[in-house]
Amino acid sequence: MKKVVIILIVAILIIGIIVGTLFFRGSKKNNVESTNQTNSEEYYGNRGNISQVEKVKFLSQNDEYLVGMMGLPVVKEVTAFTNDDMIRFALNVAVERYSEMFQEKTVSGTKGLLIDVSVVNKITNEFFGIQEVDFDKQQNEYYSRSLKGFLFDEEIQKTLYYYPISMEKNEESGNTEITADAIFITDDQDKNVIESAKYEGKYKKDSVDNTIKFIFNNEGKLISYQYQ
């Protein structure tokens, strides 16, 4: 009789341990899922519908999109890139990529980097699909007729970062619209905080300076933009 009681007690203890373990694991899992869900909702950049593939594709050229747009007009309507816009975009990107290869020149008191027309054409072809952008050599504010190239005298200073949050496909035109937050992160933040905001969308709503929509054609080239 005692033997049977002992066996029952042991069996009850074993069952209790198993049930307790399963309950603890389930509770821990729920807490983790709940925390992850809370974090997902907490980060403003996690809204929207852009796929991970398109997000990574955009982020791979993120800094160049950001730099390229510096100095372009802030427009509230969908606006096509003008020839001068494309040249300015290309000059910005050229300085971002190749600043060390350009010579400094001074013309009429203006000191800047001399950027060859072929470099600008290469970049406009890459981003806009236009191999040679037409421009007025007398009217373009950056072109130097005496140097036969562009004299760019503006410094590139990044204070914002783009993070893509939504994507729409126009089946009729074949164009793709990608909307990105322009987020402001102070330099005094830890590097991992800045990296998380730039590449994972871990930032608050009040960190967003503005949102911008980029419109790409069916070949993936930029054609127009809009600040929202």
Side-chain angles (χ1 to χ4, degrees), residues 71-113:
L72 270 63
V74 175
V75 293
K76 297 299 182 182
E77 303 294 330
V78 174
T79 304
F81 288 93
T82 65
N83 287 359
D84 284 342
D85 289 341
M86 289 186 275
I87 289 172
R88 173 61 195 258
F89 188 106
L91 290 171
N92 290 344
V93 173
V95 172
E96 172 74 1
R97 287 184 182 177
Y98 314 120
S99 60
E100 294 182 358
M101 66 176 277
F102 301 132
Q103 291 184 336
E104 280 193 346
K105 297 287 184 178
T106 302
V107 176
S108 301
T110 300
K111 184 178 181 180
L113 297 175

Side-chain angles (χ1 to χ4, degrees), residues 135-158:
F135 66 96
D136 189 327
K137 293 182 178 180
Q138 296 187 29
Q139 296 297 322
N140 185 276
E141 63 177 309
Y142 301 109
Y143 187 78
S144 169
R145 286 180 294 164
S146 62
L147 296 175
K148 295 183 170 48
F150 294 98
L151 190 66
F152 195 66
D153 62 340
E154 299 187 29
E155 293 185 9
I156 301 297
Q157 293 183 334
K158 290 180 283 190

Side-chain angles (χ1 to χ4, degrees), residues 51 74 123 196 202:
S51 69
V74 175
I123 295 173
S196 295
K202 294 182 178 180

Side-chain angles (χ1 to χ4, degrees), residues 117-170:
V117 174
S118 63
V119 175
V120 170
N121 287 339
K122 178 183 176 181
I123 295 173
T124 58
N125 186 42
E126 177 184 348
F127 284 90
F128 303 97
I130 299 179
Q131 294 183 6
E132 294 185 12
V133 178
D134 291 329
F135 66 96
D136 189 327
K137 293 182 178 180
Q138 296 187 29
Q139 296 297 322
N140 185 276
E141 63 177 309
Y142 301 109
Y143 187 78
S144 169
R145 286 180 294 164
S146 62
L147 296 175
K148 295 183 170 48
F150 294 98
L151 190 66
F152 195 66
D153 62 340
E154 299 187 29
E155 293 185 9
I156 301 297
Q157 293 183 334
K158 290 180 283 190
T159 57
L160 299 172
Y161 301 96
Y162 286 150
Y163 189 79
I165 49 100
S166 69
M167 172 179 166
E168 294 179 24
K169 179 82 171 179
N170 187 316

